[in-house]
């Protein structure tokens, strides 16, 4: 809408007659503009409503309301790469990145401010105990048993297909997303764009993941503005990064579409991930020892002193998912706890409904 310049009203050298003439001229222009442009409406939609926008107006909108990446040179170079290397439409990608948001909290999480305070007199012990307490809870164990029961056929099929012990398939999903409760709420395009172009430590890695994300959305016919996940770009119940999605996710329910937010596809994909990284079914993962005994021993800091564990090749397979001894041990111990509770429930069902109360104890 045409607006009168407010500085006109502040001009002290314009006399009253000039002011009246100027006002009449301005009013005439306003009325003429409104009469000649039927697209101007006063009944604009509420900001929270969803309005379909024709494709041909996308570039006009991007110019009128530029996002933080609309005129970014690194983004333009990335778009050029995607056009030349993978045949994407330049106008499509320009429109897409004009809608991407820079997320300050993602920048802070990836590049936290260095700590300049005093160093503690003694290193804080018990890191493993505190980490373990996040995942070895009654809620995780009981929900793991319920998840296994609700997806029994799929888990059995995945275990048989890929040669992976079922309790570890369940435990990974439990540790990663609490069986689908915490898949993340950050839009993946925003997270990866921010990490690729506004951080430095792992910018190359996240640029590659952004590339894989766009290829993934094209291959699976996803709207790239829709997927959400972690602040680092991990997606679905198993929290796959886009590169892992493209190489290891499977269409386990045979619907022609890989969907890691679907329980069936997530279960099959986690099992496939383990299989491709060398999992050995029914083989040991870790067993506790009294002291350090070579390279196959790890030390975990517990509240009441260090724990020493002899780890086997399957433990290292879990670390392919997340390269942390504490993470792999949490998955291992949660898997064993869920398996034990699962077997207890199965036995109780065979012995009668009254004995199910043992589960509550």
């Amino acid at each position: 809408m045409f607006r009168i310049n407010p500085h006109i009203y502040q001009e002290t050298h314009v006399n009253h007659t000039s002011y009246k003439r100027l006002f009449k001229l301005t009013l005439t222009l306003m009325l003429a503009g409104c009469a000649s442009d039927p697209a101007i409406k006063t009944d604009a939609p509420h900001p929270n409503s969803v309005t379909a926008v024709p494709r041909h107006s996308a570039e006009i909108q991007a110019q009128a309301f530029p996002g933080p990446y609309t005129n970014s040179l690194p983004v333009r170079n990335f778009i050029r790469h995607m056009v030349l290397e993978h045949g994407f439409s330049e106008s499509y990608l320009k429109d897409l990145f004009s809608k991407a948001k820079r997320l300050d909290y993602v920048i802070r999480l990836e590049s936290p401010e260095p700590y300049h305070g005093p160093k503690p007199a003694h290193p804080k012990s018990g890191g493993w105990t505190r980490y373990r307490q996040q995942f070895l809870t009654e809620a995780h164990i009981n929900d793991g048993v319920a998840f296994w029961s609700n997806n029994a056929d799929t888990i059995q099929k995945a275990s048989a297909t890929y040669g992976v012990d079922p309790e570890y398939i369940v435990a990974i999903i439990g540790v990663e997303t609490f069986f689908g409760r915490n898949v993340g709420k950050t839009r993946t395009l925003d997270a990866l764009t921010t990490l690729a172009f506004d951080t430095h430590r792992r910018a190359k890695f996240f640029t590659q993941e952004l590339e894989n994300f766009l290829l993934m959305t094209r291959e699976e016919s996803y709207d790239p503005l829709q997927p959400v996940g972690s602040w680092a770009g991990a997606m679905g119940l198993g929290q796959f990064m886009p590169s892992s999605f493209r190489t290891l996710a499977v269409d386990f329910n045979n619907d022609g579409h890989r969907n890691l937010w679907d329980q069936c596809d997530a279960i099959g994909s986690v099992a496939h991930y383990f299989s491709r990284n060398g999992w050995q079914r029914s083989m040991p993962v870790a067993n506790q020892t009294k002291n350090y005994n070579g390279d196959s021993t790890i030390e975990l800091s517990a509240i009441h002193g260090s724990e020493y564990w002899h780890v086997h090749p399957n433990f290292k397979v879990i670390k392919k998912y997340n390269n942390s001894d504490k993470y792999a041990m949490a998955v291992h111990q949660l898997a064993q706890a869920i398996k034990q509770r699962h077997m207890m429930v199965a036995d109780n069902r065979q012995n009668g409904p009254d004995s199910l109360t043992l589960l509550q104890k």
Side-chain angles (χ1 to χ4, degrees):
M1 180 179 291
F2 185 91
R3 295 185 182 275
I4 301 173
N5 188 336
H7 296 291
I8 293 174
Y9 292 94
Q10 299 171 9
E11 180 58 65
T12 57
H13 299 290
V14 178
N15 59 30
H16 183 68
T17 304
S18 300
Y19 172 82
K20 290 176 66 177
R21 289 176 180 172
L22 178 61
F23 181 80
K24 289 180 180 180
L25 176 60
T26 302
L27 182 61
T28 302
L29 290 173
M30 291 176 64
L31 293 174
C34 292
S36 62
D37 188 357
I40 297 176
K41 298 181 179 180
T42 58
D43 56 339
H46 189 275
N48 293 329
S49 65
V50 178
T51 306
V53 179
R55 281 189 175 274
H56 66 268
S57 66
E59 291 187 9
I60 297 175
Q61 286 196 342
Q63 294 172 4
F65 305 101
Y69 299 105
T70 300
N71 298 313
S72 165
L73 180 59
V75 172
R76 283 187 290 183
N77 289 336
F78 177 77
I79 289 173
R80 188 177 300 112
H81 164 76
M82 297 300 291
V83 171
L84 296 176
E85 189 70 21
H86 302 294
F88 276 86
S89 162
E90 183 176 1
S91 60
Y92 166 77
L93 290 181
K94 283 183 176 179
D95 176 47
L96 181 64
F97 281 107
S98 75
K99 299 171 183 174
K101 298 177 182 178
R102 179 183 290 116
L103 303 177
D104 290 338
Y105 72 89
V106 168
I107 297 173
R108 289 194 298 270
L109 287 168
E110 173 62 12
S111 307
E113 291 291 330
Y115 175 70
H116 298 293
K119 293 183 179 180
H122 302 285
K124 193 173 183 180
S125 62
W128 158 238
T129 303
R130 290 187 293 275
Y131 188 89
R132 184 183 187 276
Q133 289 171 346
Q134 297 178 58
F135 304 106
L136 269 293
T137 68
E138 281 298 301
H140 277 83
I141 297 169
N142 284 333
D143 284 8
V145 172
F147 184 85
W148 194 340
S149 177
N150 293 336
N151 296 279
D153 291 342
T154 301
I155 292 170
Q156 175 58 34
K157 178 184 174 184
S159 177
T161 301
Y162 297 111
V164 179
D165 303 83
E167 62 268 25
Y168 289 92
I169 301 172
V170 176
I172 281 285
I173 296 174
V175 170
E176 287 291 337
T177 62
F178 203 172
F179 309 104
R181 288 187 188 181
N182 303 326
V183 296
K185 298 180 180 179
T186 302
R187 197 166 67 171
T188 304
L189 176 69
D190 298 336
L192 292 175
T193 302
T194 299
L195 289 163
F197 303 116
D198 284 295
T199 68
H200 303 287
R201 186 168 64 95
R202 296 185 291 172
K204 182 177 179 181
F205 166 75
F206 286 115
T207 302
Q208 293 171 343
E209 291 300 331
L210 178 60
E211 180 175 353
N212 276 287
F213 173 73
L214 293 175
L215 291 169
M216 179 200 86
T217 58
R218 184 171 70 177
E219 291 162 358
E220 301 298 326
S221 299
Y222 286 131
D223 176 350
L225 295 172
Q226 294 303 314
V228 296
S230 77
W231 68 266
M235 300 171 291
L237 274 71
Q239 292 291 276
F240 280 31
M241 292 299 289
S243 57
S244 295
F245 185 111
R246 294 188 65 224
T247 57
L248 297 171
V250 296
D251 174 19
F252 208 57
N253 60 7
N254 297 315
D255 67 351
H257 187 64
R258 293 182 295 176
N259 178 7
L260 291 185
W261 293 266
D262 172 79
Q263 291 184 351
C264 184
D265 282 2
I267 289 166
S269 298
V270 168
H272 185 226
Y273 194 112
F274 271 32
S275 176
R276 287 279 296 273
N277 282 286
W279 185 267
Q280 302 171 24
R281 182 167 184 169
S282 301
M283 296 299 289
V285 174
N287 57 279
Q288 195 164 6
T289 63
K290 292 183 178 180
N291 47 49
Y292 186 83
N293 187 22
D295 292 340
S296 294
T297 306
I298 64 168
E299 179 182 1
L300 297 174
S301 174
I303 289 178
H304 301 295
S306 293
E307 294 180 4
Y308 297 95
W309 293 81
H310 179 73
V311 298
H312 301 275
N314 278 348
F315 187 86
K316 297 176 182 179
V317 172
I318 300 175
K319 288 183 66 176
K320 294 288 186 179
Y321 216 98
N322 184 321
N323 190 27
S324 161
D325 287 339
K326 289 187 290 187
Y327 173 89
M329 187 58 68
V331 169
H332 168 59
Q333 293 191 6
L334 180 60
Q336 293 302 311
I338 290 172
K339 179 181 178 180
Q340 185 178 14
R341 187 71 57 84
H342 177 75
M343 293 172 63
M344 181 189 301
V345 170
D347 289 343
N348 288 339
R349 284 173 178 164
Q350 289 181 354
N351 295 330
D354 292 340
S355 59
L356 284 173
T357 56
L358 290 174
L359 182 62
Q360 313 297 328
K361 298 182 179 180

